[in-house]
Amino acid sequence: MNELYLESSPYLLQHAKNAVFWKAWNKQSLAEAVLQNKLLIVSVGYAACHWCHVMEHESFEDDEVASIMNQHFTSIKVDREERPDVDAVYMKAVQIMTSRGGWPLNVVCLPNGKPVWGGTYFKKEEWIDYLIQLQNLYIKTPEKLIEYSDKLYEGLQSLSLISNVNSISEFNFEFIEELIQKWQKSFDLEFGGMARAPKFMMPANYSFLLNYGNLTQNKFLLDFVNLTLTKMAQGGIFDTVHGGFSRYSTDLKWHIPHFEKMLYDNGQLVSLYSNAYKLTKNILYKQVVEKTLLFVEENLFSAAFGFYSSLDADSLNHENKIEEGVYYVWTKEKLKEILKDDFDLFSQVFNINEFGFWENDNYVLIQNQSLLQIASHNLISEIDLQEKKTMWENALNKERQKRVKPKLDDKCLCSWNAIMLKGYIDAYKAFGNEHYYDIAIENGNFILQKFLTEEGSLYHNYKNNKATINGYLEDYCFTIEAFTGLYQITLNEDWLFIAKQLIDYCLDNFYDSQNQFFRFTSIKDDELITTHFELEDNVIPASNSVMACCLITLSIYFNISHYEEIAKKMVFKIMPTIDYGSAYSKWLEVSLYFLNQNISIAICGENVKQEVKILNSQYLPNLIFAGSEKFSSLPFLKNKYDTNESLYYFCENKVCQMPCKSFEEIIKYLQ
């Protein structure tokens, strides 16, 4: 029978009524496959995945398919967001076999879990044909499958970590410059981003390029980041009607997205646009942040101050059938009905023409001209056009509320909550909006209450008042990063001490001293078929690169050189392997610390909170600072407070100059 009704994951519950006798990933299910000596099907997806829904409808709800799977296979459904460890291992296997990946991810394994075949989406006839062939092979010539499985396993083992690479002892800006020169060849200089489709937003890429472009005063890089952020904000990938970014664009011009909206994308992009605003003061970036956070609060924010995971790509159309994107798109007739006399002007702004057309008489709103250009052409002021644009968006949003909303994945994940928390922190730093501050504090406390255990470990998931899955490295590194950010806006040292405790837990339970990186799973977790070390930055930065950053930051706050040494070994070991900057952009950002771009400031005095707000509002990505209105137990602030006067310490490469008595002098140093 189908056992998924016992689960809490919205994705697994979507499949609970399938004809397939699905099981969840657990010891009992894996043991049953071995006991029955059946081939194992591991099918991985997530709740907002459009093609997962398609394959479910075509195959997993079909009696013919189910009959084959139920008779000959043990079938396990996996929510990749709940079990990123399982997903990562089998994704590597499919990438070895097919040179591509994606979701749904479908892998057939020997009963012991070693993969023998796999791919992504399959049509019903293909899926049946492959399963029958594999079952016949397993019955008639199992040794062939075992031999292939062993070879594939060797490949997985070789990919599990960097091997036979000597760490470098030093590197310089020339190394980074060479990587960027190679990277630039992939830049799309018309629409921003990389010159390929599908087009992912990759926030860590543009965070690094913004930082490095500013550091080196490279106008080309700064212009490219600005182009990318502008085109993403104007494209269909950003929901201008009610905020929030979709997961990726299917085309080069950021126009047609896969319409699912993921918490982790929006959290990172809020941080990116907030930081870019600090540097550029571009009002468009502020509008993007404000709209996105409004979307998050109205759609992904729980009454308990946690953030939900995603909104689906699909929803019901007017014929009560599931359709991708139907909640977001517009026909020309409907727009004319809503906008009336403003339709022609609206069409110029949002391209209700060939440029903005999608399919089936539907348009996805996209801008390719500035409001100033359109206003000038129509002999109106830019301010008046902006007011009209806001009015139009409100009218469309009101109309949209009449439609059936996409389904919500209402599980909370520790790592994704921490990413969104950092988004709120960065938005508060940039704009000083106290509402963002309040939500950041509430969500920080939510993470403490729902994910942190009495033993000092973290859970990964939270749903129905329960946390059930032991935390992964991603949960720790993003929580440490977010709690450090909470300290920087509150000056409450408790957040730093919790972050330090989490780092120490990771060193005890995740760090592999032989390989000099952190495992993705704790040593307390059951072993998978191979150990996973997450090293490449992707749509979310690698947990190891984020952890290296956290180690450096806390090494300064707590004066622990051991933290810095571990981070240095990680960075210096990864550097020789980097061939393409996009896949290691967070590592490159971390590497700037070891190129003497490490500045720290201590502020002690009665005006510290106001002065810290000023520091937070500046674009200073390589700065680490601390502050206190009284004597502090934080090692970085030891012996720096004086009851009689305010003191300001400027420190570089762990050497602090004599304190000055003027905050203006510190600002001058930084500039």
Side-chain angles (χ1 to χ4, degrees), residues 300-308 412 417 442-443 446:
L300 300 177
F301 197 40
S302 76
F305 305 107
F307 296 112
Y308 297 135
C412 295
N417 267 256
E442 294 285 7
N443 183 249
F446 172 82

Side-chain angles (χ1 to χ4, degrees), residues 135-368:
Q135 173 62 14
N136 288 337
L137 269 175
Y138 188 57
I139 296 299
K140 296 175 181 177
T141 54
E143 66 278 2
K144 289 186 178 180
L145 286 183
I146 294 170
E147 181 183 0
Y148 179 73
S149 172
D150 288 342
K151 289 180 180 178
L152 182 57
Y153 177 73
E154 289 175 9
L156 280 172
Q157 291 292 85
S158 68
L159 282 180
S160 67
L161 193 61
I162 299 168
S163 58
N164 301 321
V165 174
N166 294 320
S167 298
I168 56 175
S169 58
E170 62 180 23
F171 63 96
N172 51 36
F173 277 104
E174 290 181 6
F175 176 82
I176 296 179
E177 286 288 344
E178 289 174 4
L179 284 173
I180 289 176
Q181 289 296 321
K182 183 176 181 179
W183 191 356
Q184 286 175 187
K185 295 175 182 177
S186 300
F187 287 4
D188 182 339
L189 300 180
E190 182 178 4
F191 293 105
M194 299 300 109
R196 58 176 175 265
K199 207 163 193 172
F200 289 85
M201 292 168 287
M202 306 293 285
N205 282 1
Y206 304 107
S207 176
F208 166 71
L209 292 173
L210 189 71
N211 184 350
Y212 190 78
N214 181 62
L215 187 67
T216 59
Q217 289 299 289
N218 185 322
K219 186 176 183 300
F220 174 79
L221 289 182
L222 292 175
D223 287 346
F224 175 69
V225 173
N226 183 63
L227 171 72
T228 299
L229 298 190
T230 300
K231 291 297 185 181
M232 287 197 307
Q234 293 178 340
I237 198 167
F238 178 68
D239 181 6
T240 189
V241 171
H242 192 44
F245 287 86
S246 296
R247 198 164 74 90
Y248 65 89
S249 165
T250 61
D251 57 84
L252 287 172
K253 61 185 184 181
W254 303 109
H255 185 208
I256 307 302
H258 261 315
F259 291 88
E260 63 263 41
K261 291 181 176 179
M262 314 301 294
L263 182 68
Y264 62 80
D265 283 322
N266 286 283
Q268 290 180 91
L269 287 163
V270 166
S271 291
L272 176 60
Y273 276 89
S274 296
N275 289 325
Y277 175 82
K278 289 183 186 181
L279 185 62
T280 65
K281 304 305 179 188
N282 187 334
I283 193 66
L284 173 64
Y285 298 168
K286 183 179 181 182
Q287 293 169 350
V288 166
V289 170
E290 290 172 343
K291 283 187 177 182
T292 300
L293 293 182
L294 182 62
F295 156 76
V296 168
E297 287 173 44
E298 293 188 357
N299 295 276
L300 300 177
F301 197 40
S302 76
F305 305 107
F307 296 112
Y308 297 135
S309 294
S310 64
L311 280 185
D312 209 324
D314 303 347
S315 56
L316 293 173
N317 62 20
H318 65 280
E319 297 174 348
N320 210 35
K321 294 181 179 179
I322 292 291
E323 184 178 340
E324 183 189 9
V326 68
Y327 185 71
Y328 300 101
V329 300
W330 305 93
T331 63
K332 188 178 290 187
E333 290 69 25
K334 176 57 71 173
L335 290 171
K336 286 180 177 179
E337 176 188 321
I338 298 168
L339 300 163
K340 299 181 172 56
D341 292 343
D342 276 349
F343 174 75
D344 288 340
L345 186 56
F346 177 93
S347 296
Q348 293 178 51
V349 174
F350 289 114
N351 287 283
I352 309 306
N353 52 35
E354 186 177 343
F355 188 78
F357 182 74
W358 179 29
E359 63 182 18
N360 301 327
D361 297 325
N362 288 316
Y363 292 82
V364 176
L365 306 185
I366 182 173
Q367 297 173 252
N368 62 351

Side-chain angles (χ1 to χ4, degrees), residues 412 414 446-447 449-453 457-462:
C412 295
C414 183
F446 172 82
I447 291 174
Q449 294 162 9
K450 306 303 183 185
F451 294 106
L452 185 64
T453 72
S457 62
L458 291 171
Y459 280 110
H460 176 62
N461 67 325
Y462 177 79

Side-chain angles (χ1 to χ4, degrees), residues 41 56 119 121 164 171 311 360 390 459 502 531-532 579 604 646:
I41 294 173
E56 176 190 17
Y121 164 77
N164 301 321
F171 63 96
L311 280 185
N360 301 327
T390 301
Y459 280 110
L502 292 174
T531 303
H532 177 44
D579 181 54
C604 299
S646 295

Side-chain angles (χ1 to χ4, degrees), residues 411-427:
K411 68 177 180 292
C412 295
L413 300 177
C414 183
S415 53
W416 293 12
N417 267 256
I419 289 170
M420 193 69 244
L421 168 55
K422 185 174 184 296
Y424 270 91
I425 291 167
D426 289 334

Side-chain angles (χ1 to χ4, degrees), residues 23-24 26-38 40 74 76 111-112:
K23 299 178 182 296
N26 53 49
K27 287 182 179 179
Q28 293 76 18
S29 301
L30 297 172
E32 184 173 319
V34 173
L35 183 66
Q36 295 183 352
N37 196 29
K38 285 184 175 182
L40 183 67
T74 299
I76 294 181
N112 60 13

Side-chain angles (χ1 to χ4, degrees), residues 609-618 620 663 667:
K609 289 187 176 177
Q610 187 58 39
E611 289 162 348
V612 161
K613 285 186 77 171
I614 294 171
L615 277 181
N616 277 326
S617 69
Q618 309 290 308
L620 300 165
F663 181 65
I667 294 296

